[in-house]
């Protein structure tokens, strides 16, 4: 059963809970304080929401207990407490409270005090680049000056009217920038959906990018800069320009260092670091990727939601980093176990592309270090994921299950896995000549051929894999190169390990190098 109060209580960190206890002691009503604090403690200790134990607990006393009323009261007190707690640490909270204070002062006829607070708040709003709050304070200042029109020169009132108009225009321009950034995201998603950049899609992206606000807006403050950098990053991804994509991500990263990081902005900052790592890995800028990965690993947050988000980003990026670095040096089993522990600590549900890819990368890493049982375990986790759009990946994972069973000489299990792969492809209407041909080759291997015939079949498979890897025509094919069957085939023929062939392939700087 979902309960809003229970979710709110469970979202509080240790410091917020402690502050609430002090807050309740100071502001709580004596007639209701004991009950709502007891209710808070019961909810805090509970693993799931259940009203029956709560009702039984309060039924022991002589006093009538209204659970619904107490829940409403506790919820209101928690929200009041959070406003008070975060006001001390967040400029936006302070400005919002200042606006209420201004109104109270004006209601009391203390207009001079109100004007002092308005002017101070305008300065703070400008310093924190909070243009919406700047507009509200300036509009209030204009109203206050007009109320005392005899006190202020005509020029001063005209000046504040111009300022209000200019700030309002800036807000409108910001809304246009926000709309264009969203439009670029829609175009980016369209490229992914179509699978290629068509001339028509590029023309739409160019039209957004060439809007004059994308140049002018760089002088409109950090909020406008952030929107522009995001849109230009997306445009760079649309046209596959990794250099520009990395440039705009790093510009955004520098911008984050100069602005106040509340919870929302901090999440954006962490996501930006994650994107830098991804682009750096694509460009094989390993020092950059390693540095940003260290930032994700070493940063800690008191806010539990932020800390969980950081852990998930670190785990995902650690797995991508290790998958790429495994091509360059020997991978230690302990490194992969550490990555596994980090992924398990995230307690990710078996839902979504990101979680599926993390399991897929981990299965490959265990294969690289020779732990086939762990590899099979994480391939099964990959297969179990729901609500995914990268359908070639769970199909390929099923195929790799067959391959591992082949290496372990479990031919009946191999046959079952191949049948499972074929059924999955047919059921999900996956059109992939590559997968079909690989299934054909592996189906021949499953029949327990003599060693000589196996080698002949693999030797026949090798040039076909080389040709396909060079062409890379299939949609999602780069995902399939995360475990590169060409490398596996070479390892079988050369009687080496997959890990050794990965590094040899890297040294030879061949185009079919596995990518993350």
């Amino acid at each position: 059963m979902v309960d809003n109060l229970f979710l709110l209580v469970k979202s509080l960190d240790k410091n917020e809970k402690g502050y609430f206890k002090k807050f309740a002691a100071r502001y709580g009503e004596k007639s209701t304080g004991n009950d709502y604090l007891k209710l808070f403690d019961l909810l805090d200790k509970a693993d799931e929401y259940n009203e029956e134990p709560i009702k039984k607990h309060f039924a022991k006393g002589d006093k009538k207990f209204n659970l619904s009323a107490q829940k409403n009261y506790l919820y209101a007190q928690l929200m009041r407490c959070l406003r008070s707690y975060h006001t001390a640490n967040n400029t936006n909270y302070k400005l919002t409270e200042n606006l209420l204070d201004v109104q109270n002062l004006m209601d009391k006829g203390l207009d001079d005090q109100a004007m002092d607070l308005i002017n101070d708040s305008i300065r703070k709003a400008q310093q924190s680049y909070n243009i919406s709050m700047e507009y509200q304070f300036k509009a209030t200042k204009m109203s206050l000056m007009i109320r005392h029109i005899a006190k202020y020169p005509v020029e001063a009132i005209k000046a504040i009217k111009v300022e209000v108009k200019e700030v309002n225009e800036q807000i409108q321009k910001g809304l246009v920038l926000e709309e264009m950034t969203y439009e670029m995201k829609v175009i980016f998603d369209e490229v992914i959906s179509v699978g290629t950049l068509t001339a028509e899609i590029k023309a739409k992206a160019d039209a957004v990018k060439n809007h004059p606000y994308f140049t002018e807006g760089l002088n409109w403050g950090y909020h406008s800069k952030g929107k522009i950098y995001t849109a230009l990053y997306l445009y760079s991804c649309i046209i596959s320009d990794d250099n520009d994509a990395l440039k705009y991500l790093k510009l955004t990263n520098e911008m984050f260092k100069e602005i106040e990081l509340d919870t929302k902005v901090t999440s954006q900052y962490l996501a930006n670091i994650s994107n830098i790592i991804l682009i750096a890995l694509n460009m094989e800028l390993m020092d950059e990727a390693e540095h940003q990965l260290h930032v994700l690993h070493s940063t800690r947050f008191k806010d539990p939601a932020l800390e969980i988000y950081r852990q998930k980003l670190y785990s995902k990026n650690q797995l991508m980093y290790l998958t790429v670095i495994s091509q360059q040096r020997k991978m230690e089993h302990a490194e992969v176990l550490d990555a596994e522990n980090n992924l398990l600590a995230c307690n990710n549900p078996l839902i979504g592309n990101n979680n599926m890819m993390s399991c897929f990368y981990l299965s490959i890493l265990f294969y690289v270090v020779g732990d086939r049982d762990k590899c099979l375990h994480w391939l099964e986790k990959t297969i179990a994921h729901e609500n995914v759009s990268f359908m070639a990946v769970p199909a390929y994972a099923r195929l790799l299950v067959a391959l591992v069973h082949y290496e372990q000489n479990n031919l009946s299990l191999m046959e079952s896995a191949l049948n499972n792969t074929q059924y999955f492809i047919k059921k999900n209407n996956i059109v992939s000549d590559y997968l079909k041909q690989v299934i054909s080759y592996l189906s021949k291997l499953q029949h327990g051929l003599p060693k000589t015939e196996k080698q002949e079949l693999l030797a026949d498979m090798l040039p076909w894999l080389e040709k396909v890897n060079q062409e890379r025509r299939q949609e999602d094919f780069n995902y399939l190169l995360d475990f590169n069957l060409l490398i596996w085939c070479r390892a079988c023929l050369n009687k080496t390990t997959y890990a050794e062939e990965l590094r040899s392939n890297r040294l030879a700087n061949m185009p079919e190098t596995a990518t993350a």
Side-chain angles (χ1 to χ4, degrees):
M1 177 180 179
V2 176
D3 181 83
N4 290 338
L5 174 61
F6 181 73
L7 294 176
L8 178 59
V9 171
K10 288 300 180 181
S11 73
L12 302 177
D13 63 32
K14 183 179 179 181
N15 293 331
E16 289 170 334
K17 291 174 184 177
Y19 185 83
F20 174 67
K21 292 294 184 70
K22 294 175 183 177
F23 179 90
R26 184 183 306 172
Y27 299 109
E29 298 177 17
K30 292 182 179 179
S31 61
T32 58
N34 287 337
D35 284 349
Y36 88 85
L37 280 176
K38 288 176 183 177
L39 176 59
F40 174 83
D41 288 333
L42 289 171
L43 293 173
D44 185 32
K45 294 174 183 177
D47 293 327
E48 59 183 9
Y49 183 73
N50 186 346
E51 291 189 352
E52 292 307 314
I54 296 173
K55 291 177 179 178
K56 287 181 181 178
H57 176 86
F58 285 102
K60 298 174 184 177
D62 299 328
K63 186 171 55 175
K64 186 177 179 181
F65 179 77
N66 187 325
L67 178 58
S68 178
Q70 289 295 333
K71 284 177 62 179
N72 289 336
Y73 184 79
L74 175 56
Y75 191 94
Q77 289 296 93
L78 284 171
M79 294 304 296
R80 184 181 174 194
C81 169
L82 287 173
R83 284 196 296 271
S84 174
Y85 179 81
H86 289 290
T87 296
N89 304 309
N90 188 294
T91 302
N92 291 337
Y93 273 88
K94 289 179 183 177
L95 290 172
T96 301
E97 288 212 337
N98 284 358
L99 196 61
L100 295 172
D101 292 341
V102 165
Q103 188 60 54
N104 286 330
L105 289 169
M106 290 170 63
D107 290 344
K108 294 292 184 182
L110 302 173
D111 291 348
D112 288 342
Q113 292 183 41
M115 185 62 79
D116 289 341
L117 184 54
I118 287 171
N119 289 328
D120 182 59
S121 298
I122 289 173
R123 285 192 295 271
K124 289 178 179 176
Q126 290 171 334
Q127 289 169 0
S128 62
Y129 304 98
N130 191 329
I131 190 169
S132 62
M133 291 303 298
E134 181 185 350
Y135 173 80
Q136 291 184 70
F137 281 110
K138 284 188 172 180
T140 305
K141 180 178 181 178
M142 182 177 68
S143 297
L144 191 56
M145 289 175 73
I146 291 173
R147 179 189 296 184
H148 299 281
I149 195 166
K151 184 178 178 180
Y152 296 96
V154 174
E155 292 76 13
I157 294 178
K158 285 183 177 179
I160 190 63
K161 282 177 174 265
V162 170
E163 288 182 33
V164 170
K165 181 181 178 182
E166 288 175 346
V167 175
N168 184 51
E169 288 174 350
Q170 210 170 339
I171 290 173
Q172 297 308 312
K173 289 177 179 178
L175 291 174
V176 174
L177 275 177
E178 192 168 315
E179 180 60 30
M180 289 193 297
T181 301
Y182 174 74
E183 182 61 28
M184 195 70 87
K185 176 66 168 62
V186 171
I187 296 169
F188 173 77
D189 291 340
E190 185 179 358
V191 173
I192 294 177
S193 176
V194 173
T196 185
L197 177 60
T198 65
E200 182 183 359
I201 294 176
K202 186 175 185 301
K204 287 194 290 186
D206 287 338
V208 176
K209 176 182 177 290
N210 293 330
H211 194 287
Y213 280 8
F214 272 64
T215 302
E216 298 171 18
L218 293 173
N219 300 314
W220 297 344
Y222 283 102
H223 288 290
S224 294
K225 271 188 181 180
K227 295 183 181 80
I228 292 168
Y229 290 156
T230 298
L232 293 177
Y233 158 70
L234 290 169
Y235 178 82
S236 303
C237 293
I238 288 169
I239 64 172
S240 300
D241 187 338
D242 282 346
N243 284 306
D244 268 3
L246 184 59
K247 179 180 79 172
Y248 291 117
L249 287 172
K250 294 184 82 169
L251 283 170
T252 303
N253 209 44
E254 290 301 312
M255 184 190 75
F256 279 127
K257 295 176 182 178
E258 300 183 39
I259 61 177
E260 185 177 354
L261 297 180
D262 57 18
T263 301
K264 179 182 177 182
V265 177
T266 303
S267 297
Q268 294 170 347
Y269 165 68
L270 292 173
N272 193 69
I273 291 176
S274 180
N275 286 331
I276 290 176
I277 294 171
L278 176 60
I279 297 295
L281 290 175
N282 285 341
M283 299 175 70
E284 297 191 355
L285 301 174
M286 304 310 293
D287 288 344
E288 178 70 41
E290 189 171 351
H291 167 70
Q292 299 296 344
L293 192 64
H294 175 72
V295 172
L296 280 181
H297 182 250
S298 58
T299 307
R300 294 292 185 276
F301 298 99
K302 292 181 179 178
D303 184 295
L306 278 177
E307 181 58 18
I308 290 170
Y309 184 55
R310 180 202 66 81
Q311 291 173 359
K312 289 183 176 182
L313 285 182
Y314 175 70
S315 173
K316 179 185 79 170
N317 285 284
Q318 181 189 28
L319 289 163
M320 289 194 298
Y321 172 79
L322 291 176
T323 302
V324 176
I325 208 73
S326 67
Q327 304 167 35
Q328 303 177 19
R329 64 166 173 80
K330 183 180 179 181
M331 184 65 48
E332 299 296 336
H333 194 260
E335 291 179 278
V336 186
L337 287 175
D338 177 63
E340 181 186 40
N341 288 334
N342 288 330
L343 181 59
L344 288 171
C346 295
N347 196 28
N348 291 329
L350 299 179
I351 297 173
N353 291 330
N354 281 335
N355 293 341
M356 177 183 70
M357 292 307 299
S358 291
C359 293
F360 187 51
Y361 290 140
L362 190 53
S363 69
I364 295 167
L365 288 168
F366 274 121
Y367 184 89
V368 169
V369 296
D371 192 334
R372 300 297 190 267
D373 289 338
K374 284 276 191 178
C375 171
L376 282 174
H377 172 77
W378 286 101
L379 284 173
E380 294 295 344
K381 292 279 190 183
T382 304
I383 291 167
H385 273 74
E386 299 177 350
N387 297 331
V388 297
S389 58
F390 301 156
M391 298 307 293
V393 176
Y396 197 51
R398 286 168 165 81
L399 199 62
L400 296 184
V401 169
L403 183 147
V404 175
H405 285 315
Y406 164 72
E407 293 182 351
Q408 295 177 331
N409 202 33
N410 297 324
L411 298 185
S412 60
L413 292 176
M414 178 188 183
E415 181 180 10
S416 176
L418 287 174
N419 290 336
N420 190 324
T421 307
Q422 288 177 312
Y423 173 77
F424 182 82
I425 289 174
K426 183 177 180 181
K427 177 184 176 183
N428 291 280
N429 297 315
I430 298 173
V431 179
S432 174
D433 293 335
Y434 176 80
L435 289 175
K436 289 180 180 178
Q437 185 60 48
V438 172
I439 291 171
S440 176
Y441 277 116
L442 293 184
S443 295
K444 294 175 184 175
L445 285 173
Q446 86 181 37
H447 295 301
L449 299 174
K451 287 186 178 180
T452 304
E453 292 186 33
K454 284 182 183 177
Q455 291 296 99
E456 290 175 355
L457 184 60
L458 290 169
D460 181 54
M461 187 178 181
L462 184 66
W464 175 77
L465 286 169
E466 288 174 339
K467 180 176 180 294
V468 173
N469 277 30
Q470 288 172 358
E471 293 174 351
R472 297 184 180 185
R473 289 182 297 191
Q474 284 83 7
E475 184 181 351
D476 289 335
F477 190 70
N478 281 334
Y479 293 114
L480 307 187
L481 288 178
D482 290 323
F483 183 92
N484 197 327
L485 276 173
L486 173 59
I487 303 297
W488 174 80
C489 192
R490 284 181 180 155
C492 291
L493 289 169
N494 297 334
K495 294 182 172 54
T496 56
T497 66
Y498 181 82
E500 289 170 335
E501 287 296 330
L502 263 183
R503 296 194 294 276
S504 297
N505 189 66
R506 164 75 180 176
L507 291 173
N509 195 30
M510 299 182 71
E512 58 268 22
T513 302
T515 59

